[in-house]
């Protein structure tokens, strides 16, 4: 007892050091290591990776901290996110969370490996003390490097903006597919590289133009928008939205406008896309309303003839095809100076009856015809003016092509 009392009243430094080390080692032995461990069906994980992969691998901004994806398991939710600042995508996947956690990674092999794993279930594991994450399925085990999660800019979900509306995924994809192809690829005039979204009340329109052609489609919403929206969405980003939209079974899509971006939400997917600054031209003034001829023609016959002429025209400068319309016939020809002249014709019904000679870029005509769906289409035109093309008996989708000076 005296020795014990002496130790505390006059402790030896060496004994104190030994006691401190013993207590420290003891605390380490009881410290629990925080480990993220998830079990997910291969089909669900593969689908989620495909949703975010394009954004996660975008190298155009050359900022490595923006390249990659975040896997986050917290509050009974498993989220997978990607964000390149032009577009952010967040999707949730069902699964079992044995240990919560998050990991920031990018590996170009992950999606392909996951798709080929010979197991219906995969296990993801990441330890706090390890800079690698492992994926296991069947007999395969793959370990790959992770990055600091603080370097990832998470996709913020915004529920309210200055206006919002709802539609369904099939309608929205159809609007995008029928317009975005006409966006310009020349970035010198940015407003033409996007599709213009025009929403007012129950009216929803999308329009795109590169100044040589224009595509417009309009639909009527079931419920009016909470406010007017006029926004220019980059064509590249809108194509990615269209790729994500389910079309097998229509799902509700909510679109919210928030200052300089749009939020698009459907199913378990949330997308934010930046907008293009600037003023889109008054597209309604570009669409012609007066015509000297309204021609009805079978779409398949006309498409086949233009495709035949384009074989030669595409090798000539500007892909020019000359159209001579008279006596219920459209006669087409094109010339390649190095090889020769090609001619073809197709029957039509001309209302107005005035002979007309006009030239167009053959590729632009074919692009329009690919987006028509009826057996018969209208060609509405007059001398030296843009031609309007639309499906017969369908007024909510119009295409305009400007003529060329070739004669």
């Amino acid at each position: 007892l005296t020795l014990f009392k002496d130790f505390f009243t006059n402790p030896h430094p060496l004994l104190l050091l030994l006691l401190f080390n013993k207590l420290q080692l003891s605390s380490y032995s009881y410290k629990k290591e925080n480990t993220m461990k998830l079990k997910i069906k291969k089909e669900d994980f593969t689908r989620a990776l495909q949703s975010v992969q394009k954004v996660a691998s975008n190298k155009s901004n050359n900022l490595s901290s923006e390249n990659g994806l975040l896997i986050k398991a917290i509050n009974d939710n498993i989220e997978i996110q990607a964000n390149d600042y032009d577009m952010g995508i967040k999707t949730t996947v069902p699964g079992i969370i044995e240990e919560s956690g998050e990991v920031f990674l990018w590996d170009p092999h992950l999606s392909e490996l996951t798709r080929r794993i010979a197991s219906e279930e995969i296990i993801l594991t990441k330890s706090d003390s390890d800079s690698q994450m492992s994926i296991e399925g069947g007999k395969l085990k793959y370990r790959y490097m992770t990055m600091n999660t603080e370097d990832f800019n998470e996709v913020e979900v915004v529920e309210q903006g200055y206006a919002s509306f709802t539609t369904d995924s099939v309608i929205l994809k159809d609007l995008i597919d029928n317009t975005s192809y006409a966006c310009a690829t020349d970035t010198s005039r940015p407003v033409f590289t996007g599709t213009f979204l025009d929403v007012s009340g129950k009216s929803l329109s999308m329009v795109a133009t590169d100044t040589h052609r224009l595509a417009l489609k309009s639909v009527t919403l079931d419920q009016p928008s909470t406010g007017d929206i006029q926004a220019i969405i980059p064509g590249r980003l809108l194509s990615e939205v269209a790729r994500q939209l389910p079309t097998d079974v229509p799902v509700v899509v909510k679109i919210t406008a928030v200052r300089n971006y749009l939020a698009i939400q459907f199913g378990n997917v949330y997308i934010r896309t930046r907008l293009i600054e600037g003023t889109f031209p008054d597209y309604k003034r570009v669409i012609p309303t007066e015509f000297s001829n309204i021609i009805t023609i079978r779409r398949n016959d006309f498409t086949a003839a233009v495709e035949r002429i384009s074989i030669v025209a595409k090798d000539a400068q500007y892909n020019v095809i000359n159209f001579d319309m008279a006596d219920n016939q459209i006669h087409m020809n094109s010339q390649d100076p190095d090889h020769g002249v090609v001619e073809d014709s197709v029957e039509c019904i001309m209302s107005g009856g005035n002979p007309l000679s006009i030239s167009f870029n053959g590729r632009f005509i074919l692009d329009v015809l690919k987006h028509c769906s009826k057996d018969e289409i209208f060609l509405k035109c007059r001398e030296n003016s843009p031609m309007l093309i639309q499906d017969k008996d369908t007024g909510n989708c119009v295409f305009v092509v400007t003529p060329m000076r070739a004669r």
Side-chain angles (χ1 to χ4, degrees):
L1 181 61
T2 302
L3 290 173
F4 188 76
K5 183 177 180 180
D6 290 343
F7 174 77
F8 284 99
T9 58
N10 188 26
H12 192 283
L14 182 59
L15 290 175
L16 281 176
L17 180 62
L18 290 172
L19 180 61
F20 176 77
N21 288 338
K22 179 65 177 175
L23 290 172
Q24 191 176 40
L25 288 171
S26 177
S27 68
Y28 283 147
S29 64
Y30 286 102
K31 181 182 179 182
K32 184 177 180 180
E33 189 178 72
N34 182 23
T35 301
M36 185 181 82
K37 187 173 183 181
L38 314 176
K39 292 182 178 180
I40 308 175
K41 287 185 178 180
K42 181 182 74 172
E43 180 183 359
D44 295 331
F45 191 51
T46 300
R47 187 184 302 113
L49 290 178
Q50 289 173 345
S51 293
V52 303
Q53 185 175 20
K54 194 167 184 179
V55 174
S57 60
N58 180 26
K59 303 292 183 181
S60 63
N61 45 44
N62 294 318
L63 297 174
S64 59
S65 63
E66 297 173 1
N67 298 324
L69 58 91
L70 181 75
I71 301 176
K72 187 174 184 178
I74 190 169
N75 298 331
D76 297 326
N77 285 324
I78 301 175
E79 295 179 351
I80 301 180
Q81 303 183 30
N83 191 357
D84 67 1
Y85 286 93
D86 279 343
M87 173 177 282
I89 299 181
K90 175 187 289 190
T91 182
T92 58
V93 292
I96 299 173
I97 304 175
E98 295 192 358
E99 295 286 348
S100 299
E102 58 184 357
V103 61
F104 177 29
L105 59 99
W106 172 244
D107 190 303
H109 311 301
L110 181 60
S111 181
E112 183 70 11
L113 265 177
T114 301
R115 189 173 65 84
R116 294 178 179 272
I117 284 179
S119 172
E120 294 303 313
E121 184 180 71
I122 61 174
I123 301 173
L124 304 177
T125 308
K126 168 68 170 66
S127 170
D128 256 4
S129 60
D130 195 350
S131 62
Q132 293 184 323
M133 180 174 176
S134 69
I135 179 171
E136 300 177 58
K139 296 182 179 180
L140 180 139
K141 183 173 183 178
Y142 179 49
R143 296 175 61 82
Y144 43 91
M145 298 298 296
T146 63
M147 298 178 282
N148 188 347
T149 56
E150 294 181 358
D151 292 335
F152 185 84
N153 186 49
E154 290 199 39
V155 180
E156 180 186 0
V157 176
V158 176
E159 297 293 343
Q160 292 188 358
Y162 68 82
S164 65
F165 66 92
T166 59
T167 181
D168 73 53
S169 55
V170 174
I171 290 174
L172 183 58
K173 180 172 172 55
D174 186 56
L175 283 166
I176 296 171
D177 289 346
N178 278 285
T179 55
S180 61
Y181 78 92
C183 290
T185 56
D186 182 3
T187 57
S188 61
R189 302 174 72 182
V191 294
F192 294 118
T193 64
T195 297
F196 184 59
L197 176 68
D198 190 4
V199 185
S200 180
K202 286 189 174 184
S203 174
L204 164 61
S205 298
M206 279 191 173
V207 58
T209 179
D210 60 3
T211 73
H212 300 293
R213 55 184 173 172
L214 179 145
L216 164 69
K217 184 153 190 179
S218 303
V219 296
T220 301
L221 299 170
D222 291 335
Q223 298 295 328
S225 173
T226 61
D228 292 352
I229 302 174
Q230 284 81 39
I232 308 173
I233 312 168
R236 176 181 65 85
L237 304 184
L238 203 55
S239 295
E240 180 62 18
V241 171
R243 188 181 72 85
Q244 305 269 355
L245 291 169
T247 54
D248 294 339
V249 178
V251 300
V252 175
V253 180
K254 180 181 179 181
I255 298 179
T256 304
V258 186
R259 273 195 330 183
N260 58 350
Y261 69 88
L262 283 184
I264 304 169
Q265 192 166 11
F266 53 92
N268 63 341
V269 177
Y270 179 87
I271 299 175
R272 285 178 54 168
T273 173
R274 72 169 178 87
L275 301 176
I276 297 174
E277 295 182 359
T279 303
F280 200 80
D282 185 357
Y283 61 91
K284 295 177 182 178
R285 295 180 59 185
V286 178
I287 299 173
T289 56
E290 296 181 359
F291 314 99
S292 61
N293 280 293
I294 298 179
I295 299 167
T296 306
I297 192 168
R298 292 187 61 82
R299 177 174 56 89
N300 289 340
D301 295 343
F302 188 46
T303 301
V306 176
E307 285 176 339
R308 289 191 292 267
I309 296 291
S310 293
I311 294 172
V312 174
K314 68 182 179 182
D315 291 329
Q317 190 177 22
Y318 303 122
N319 201 348
V320 177
I321 297 179
N322 302 311
F323 295 83
D324 294 309
M325 307 171 185
D327 301 326
N328 292 330
Q329 290 272 335
I330 298 180
H331 182 80
M332 292 162 275
N333 71 81
S334 184
Q335 180 177 357
D336 181 349
D338 296 328
H339 296 93
V341 177
V342 61
E343 299 181 21
D344 206 340
S345 63
V346 61
E347 294 182 353
C348 65
I349 299 174
M350 296 181 64
S351 175
N354 299 318
L356 178 64
S357 295
I358 195 166
S359 301
F360 294 100
N361 183 308
R363 182 172 63 85
F364 290 171
I365 297 296
L366 285 176
D367 283 345
V368 169
L369 294 176
K370 289 175 183 176
H371 291 88
C372 294
S373 58
K374 301 294 185 180
D375 291 336
E376 292 185 319
I377 59 173
F378 288 140
L379 309 178
K380 301 180 179 181
C381 48
R382 65 177 180 175
E383 196 80 33
N384 298 321
S385 294
M387 179 167 68
L388 186 147
I389 305 174
Q390 63 186 143
D391 282 320
K392 185 178 180 181
D393 302 325
T394 302
N396 69 329
C397 187
V398 298
F399 308 99
V400 179
V401 182
T402 58
M404 305 183 69
R405 297 178 181 178
R407 295 176 182 272

